[in-house]
Amino acid sequence: MASGMGLCCCFIVVVMALLKGATAAQTYEVGDSLGWEVPPNSSYYTEWASNKTFYDGDELSFNWTGSHTVRSITTAAEYDNCSKNPSIDIGSPFVLTLNRSEQPVYFFYCTVNDHCKRGQKFSINVLKLNSTVAAPPSPSSALSLTIDAFVAVLSTMVTLVLIYI
């Protein structure tokens, strides 16, 4: 009986370790309900991005109506100056999968009129998926994962206890 309980405890530790490292890529709607529009204040998108942690494999979804673009660049100078140097401007809708190995820092802004200067821009750092800080799952998937994990561990424990009784 004691060895059965020890086995159960070891199993629980292994399952919890595996669950801690398991995270799914997140898809973020840029600007949440506002979407990709001229923001109500110049810090809107910067604040939006600062409340999130972006990981390799996450996706950014840009959606808008009207006249906007998304410019993705690699230099802070172009971003800070809202540069209109020739580059590829992306149209709506657009989903970008973040790839840290290609670009650990992303800069995004709109090139239409003065939209960038009015705050339609943000930058993000992309972390490795297996960083020290684990990517948080979405609240609904976290609950589902937790309940599923609990049921799996509980049923395995009951089976092991019954085998060793």
Side-chain angles (χ1 to χ4, degrees):
M1 178 74 175
S3 65
M5 290 305 286
L7 185 60
C8 285
C9 289
C10 287
F11 180 76
I12 291 170
V13 169
V14 169
V15 168
M16 296 309 281
L18 290 173
L19 287 176
K20 184 177 183 199
T23 58
Q26 302 279 332
T27 299
Y28 295 95
E29 178 73 30
V30 174
D32 293 328
S33 62
L34 179 65
W36 185 240
E37 302 289 339
V38 176
N41 60 62
S42 62
S43 63
Y44 181 85
Y45 288 104
T46 302
E47 291 173 10
W48 173 84
S50 71
N51 292 324
K52 292 156 183 52
T53 304
F54 300 96
Y55 289 89
D56 203 23
D58 284 350
E59 295 179 332
L60 297 180
S61 176
F62 293 84
N63 289 289
W64 67 86
T65 57
S67 183
H68 298 288
T69 62
V70 177
R71 180 168 288 173
S72 174
I73 56 169
T74 58
T75 65
E78 284 185 84
Y79 171 80
D80 291 339
N81 296 320
C82 295
S83 173
K84 298 206 181 200
N85 288 338
S87 75
I88 297 172
D89 290 322
I90 303 160
S92 178
F94 175 68
V95 176
L96 173 73
T97 301
L98 301 174
N99 185 336
R100 188 182 194 291
S101 62
E102 289 179 9
Q103 193 172 340
V105 179
Y106 285 79
F107 299 91
F108 300 100
Y109 64 94
C110 180
T111 61
V112 174
N113 301 325
D114 65 346
H115 295 186
C116 177
K117 291 191 185 307
R118 291 170 54 195
Q120 193 173 358
K121 66 181 192 172
F122 67 98
S123 65
I124 60 171
N125 292 311
V126 180
L127 303 176
K128 290 180 184 177
L129 187 57
N130 294 328
S131 296
T132 313
V133 179
S138 65
S140 61
S141 67
L143 180 59
S144 173
L145 182 62
T146 304
I147 292 170
D148 291 345
F150 176 74
V151 170
V153 168
L154 186 60
S155 64
T156 304
M157 284 175 49
V158 168
T159 303
L160 289 173
V161 168
L162 291 175
I163 289 172
Y164 287 101
I165 293 180

